Amino acid sequence: MPLPLKVLLVDEEVVRAAMVEEALCQEGHEVICRLSSPASLNEMVARHSPDVVIIDMESPDRDTLDSMSLLHRENPRPVVFFADQHDPDSMQAALKAGVSAYVVDGLVAGRVKAVMDVAIARFESFQSMRKELDRARNQLAERKRIEKAKGLLMKHQSCDEEQAYRMLRKLAMDRGQRIADVADSVIDILERLEKGL
Amino acid sequence: MSEANTFITTSRPPEIDTLTLGFIPLIDAALLIIAREGGHFAAQGLDVNLSRENAWSTLRDKVAAGFLDGAHMLAPMPLAMSLGMSRAPCETLAPIVLGTHGNTLVLSNRYAEGMAPPDPNDPARNARALRDLLSDRLIHHRGTPPRLAMVYPYSWQHLQIRAWLERGGVDPDNDVELIALPPARMVDALHEGQIDGFCVGEPWGSLAEHHGIGRIVASGADLFPGHPEKVLGVTASWAHRYPDTLSALLRAIQAAADWLDSGEEAQQQTLQWLALPPYLDRHVSHLDKLPLGQAPTMQYLTHLSLHPEAFAVMAAHMRPLAESRGNRLDPEVLARCYRPLL
């Protein structure tokens, strides 16, 4: 078990923050807080003296944290951007996952890297979770459009659902398009017809 | 100037035609927005996506990592990046100026009460009033010194807020608390009482005043007349890899600037583009025209040519800040960062 570190987590994405917190606690680290309010970030760092601050790359609070060591050299503890120059790959991985870290000056790089690896992994799995969710949403939206196109075809061609679906599939094959795209143009054409355009 | 000429006269097609440039929501991102919306990038064969960033440090890191091809940058940022201030060194170039002046200093009503409008002949006048307020201890807000925000340590906003306080007899290190906040957070933070004032580029100062949340008490242009405020920044490795793409970018931005100079109509159109949701959204709705060349900001967007002397002045002002952090301002690095290519 590595030596425990005090970690301040700044992330407004509640689910992701919980994922990171759980993973870090499992490793024995102490996770302090995960709410963000930029102006009080200074006070939070002063009060809790974290060893590491992990922050969402896209957080507007990053500039506050980024400049802290320059603006407050005595108090709070110096917090410097953790950009491991010897390991540009993990730096890239962190940026890609959308996470950045600030550490107390002088903290052994290896100890921070272990924490970073955990954070990167959780940010990455959250990212793929979200992608999966987006894809599911898109699929749902596509299915709805196909249903709508089928409905319009059934009405205009006086056919049943099965026949309407076969019509769409044939159109898609003829045109080399996806069924959802064919559905879009069918909806477009038939709706215009209905409006008498 | 031979290098400059090869850059603008080359007619070779760009090496890459799809790029992403970062920007922070500010009036002086306008030339990039005009170049995109007005088709000037497209005329050079470029498909440019503009990515709005939430923080200067994030924009900086994305450029350094190659996630952005280039960006709208604070004038001192390429130097700070090249010297490795705040992060691992990354040699960065600024070939043109995207904005001159444009910053305002705003104080909350509590502090600004009784202060005069900015006076170009006496820019620190209201700072003296602040000094008197603080020394009389007339103000006990939060029981702590006033908290003032600027945008980034290596910025004109930081230099301006410090210079303003110092000239008024207020010690920026002990009499106030300085923090960094991104421009788009300033007005809300002032409204919520998290800060007592700020120094930032437009439209945020005039927006605070428009909402009656605070008042403009000084202008960056009065404190440091002629300062280049924003530049286009790209990494040196990007510029060397894609020289023809860079020259196409510069030609497009030049065309955008020429168009903006064409008159009132272009300015109105620009304001409408700035008001689009991906850019400044509703935060320019208090403006009925683009405030160019007007007091107190004296903002200019079309003085593209980069004058190395102006950046040497900037570096001289930044020197104490850099040296206090153990960074040496290498004149060679400075010369490499700010090389005119137009």
Side-chain angles (χ1 to χ4, degrees):
Chain A
M1 200 72 122
L3 281 169
L5 290 170
K6 222 185 212 191
V7 181
L8 174 65
L9 183 60
V10 184
D11 187 5
E12 284 181 13
E13 191 67 69
V14 183
V15 174
R16 186 172 57 194
M19 287 165 67
V20 176
E21 184 181 9
E22 196 198 343
L24 287 174
C25 288
Q26 264 176 16
E27 302 271 318
H29 299 297
E30 181 190 350
V31 179
I32 299 164
C33 191
R34 54 176 192 240
L35 285 175
S36 98
S37 155
S40 65
L41 208 51
N42 283 334
E43 284 155 24
M44 206 112 88
V45 170
R47 194 178 331 136
H48 297 289
S49 303
D51 302 305
V52 183
V53 184
I54 289 182
I55 182 167
D56 170 17
M57 261 279 281
E58 298 301 333
S59 166
D61 304 347
R62 255 205 86 194
D63 284 340
T64 308
L65 204 54
D66 198 84
S67 62
M68 215 174 262
S69 66
L70 194 111
L71 295 174
H72 307 263
R73 286 200 286 147
E74 305 309 323
N75 175 46
R77 302 166 81 180
V79 177
V80 295
F81 183 40
F82 179 66
D84 194 353
Q85 292 166 47
H86 308 293
D87 185 7
D89 287 348
S90 81
M91 184 64 206
Q92 284 276 340
L95 281 165
K96 246 191 202 135
V99 58
S100 44
Y102 291 80
V103 302
V104 166
D105 211 356
L107 198 64
V108 181
R111 292 178 65 195
V112 185
K113 195 175 178 305
V115 168
M116 267 312 264
D117 288 346
V118 170
I120 290 170
R122 290 301 172 274
F123 266 67
E124 276 171 350
S125 43
F126 182 79
Q127 225 170 37
S128 49
M129 251 169 59
R130 183 141 67 185
K131 254 186 218 150
E132 200 51 51
L133 195 65
D134 285 347
R135 192 158 52 222
R137 273 199 199 115
N138 281 341
Q139 277 174 356
L140 190 66
E142 277 185 3
R143 246 198 330 264
K144 280 187 184 153
R145 297 204 313 274
I146 293 172
E147 289 302 318
K148 185 172 178 185
K150 273 198 304 194
L152 285 166
L153 278 173
M154 283 157 72
K155 186 168 145 201
H156 284 268
Q157 307 285 323
S158 320
C159 60
D160 64 20
E161 194 176 345
E162 178 63 27
Q163 286 168 323
Y165 186 69
R166 263 191 255 128
M167 262 185 247
L168 282 177
R169 214 172 51 184
K170 183 168 185 328
L171 273 170
M173 282 197 303
D174 292 348
R175 295 184 183 184
Q177 284 180 333
R178 295 168 62 246
I179 290 192
D181 296 329
V182 171
D184 283 345
S185 46
V186 166
I187 292 168
D188 188 46
I189 293 164
L190 294 183
E191 278 189 342
R192 276 186 215 214
L193 264 178
E194 284 189 349
K195 286 179 196 146
L197 294 171
Chain B
M1 291 298 283
S2 64
E3 191 174 8
N5 290 337
T6 53
F7 258 92
I8 46 172
T9 57
T10 178
S11 53
R12 287 190 299 269
E15 298 88 349
I16 46 172
D17 54 14
T18 308
L19 9 161
T20 304
L21 301 178
F23 74 97
I24 295 287
L26 287 162
I27 296 262
D28 52 25
L31 286 185
L32 299 181
I33 293 164
I34 294 169
R36 178 178 159 79
E37 298 298 325
H40 304 289
F41 284 137
Q44 296 297 331
L46 298 174
D47 180 7
V48 176
N49 174 35
L50 296 180
S51 170
R52 183 170 65 186
E53 301 297 329
N54 290 331
W56 283 113
S57 45
T58 303
L59 174 142
R60 172 198 73 195
D61 293 340
K62 286 182 178 175
V63 170
F67 293 171
L68 294 170
D69 292 287
H72 164 234
M73 280 187 186
L74 296 160
M77 190 175 257
L79 180 62
M81 287 174 75
S82 298
L83 291 170
M85 309 204 279
S86 309
R87 54 153 291 125
C90 170
E91 205 171 316
T92 307
L93 310 179
I96 50 165
V97 174
L98 294 178
T100 303
H101 302 151
N103 300 331
T104 60
L105 235 144
V106 169
L107 289 180
S108 66
N109 294 327
R110 173 190 286 265
Y111 285 94
E113 200 191 338
M115 290 191 186
D119 178 357
N121 298 313
D122 186 8
R125 180 175 164 177
N126 289 326
R128 293 196 301 274
L130 179 65
R131 176 200 60 198
D132 294 344
L133 269 178
L134 295 177
S135 62
D136 288 350
R137 297 177 182 275
L138 289 176
I139 286 190
H140 293 279
H141 177 46
R142 228 193 275 113
T144 53
R147 186 186 279 149
L148 304 177
M150 46 81 195
V151 298
Y152 188 70
Y154 305 107
S155 69
W156 276 107
Q157 287 79 354
H158 189 195
L159 295 173
Q160 284 161 0
I161 212 163
R162 295 185 80 92
W164 183 73
L165 292 166
E166 278 168 0
R167 288 193 214 175
V170 182
D171 178 355
D173 292 311
N174 294 304
D175 296 343
V176 299
E177 183 193 352
L178 289 181
I179 67 161
L181 275 186
R185 285 276 312 133
M186 295 290 187
V187 176
D188 287 345
L190 191 69
H191 185 54
E192 290 158 11
Q194 293 172 9
I195 56 174
D196 303 295
F198 59 69
C199 183
V200 72
E202 279 292 272
W204 305 104
S206 61
L207 184 65
E209 201 165 71
H210 173 79
H211 287 322
I213 294 165
R215 284 187 28 216
I216 297 175
V217 295
S219 154
D222 296 340
L223 289 158
F224 293 100
H227 77 270
E229 170 54 34
K230 298 291 183 332
V231 293
L232 176 74
V234 296
T235 64
S237 63
W238 190 92
H240 292 141
R241 205 162 150 205
Y242 305 122
D244 296 327
T245 310
L246 179 57
S247 45
L249 260 183
L250 299 185
R251 283 194 301 271
I253 293 170
Q254 175 75 69
D258 291 344
W259 175 83
L260 180 58
D261 273 338
S262 71
E264 195 81 1
E265 211 172 300
Q267 290 196 18
Q268 280 307 328
Q269 177 63 68
T270 301
L271 190 56
Q272 284 172 28
W273 283 332
L274 285 172
L276 293 173
Y279 307 126
L280 278 141
D281 206 351
R282 62 189 190 281
H283 300 114
V284 288
S285 56
H286 64 294
L287 301 174
D288 49 18
K289 62 192 290 257
L290 211 54
L292 299 183
Q294 286 172 18
T297 53
M298 301 308 287
Q299 183 164 39
Y300 299 98
L301 300 177
T302 57
H303 299 178
L304 296 183
S305 300
L306 186 143
H307 301 291
E309 320 81 75
F311 289 86
V313 170
M314 177 189 82
H317 286 299
M318 274 176 63
R319 185 181 299 277
L321 205 60
E323 284 175 352
S324 75
R325 298 295 298 160
N327 287 106
R328 206 172 61 86
L329 273 186
D330 187 341
E332 267 180 46
V333 175
L334 177 69
R336 276 207 304 274
C337 285
Y338 303 101
R339 246 181 328 176
L341 291 180
L342 254 188

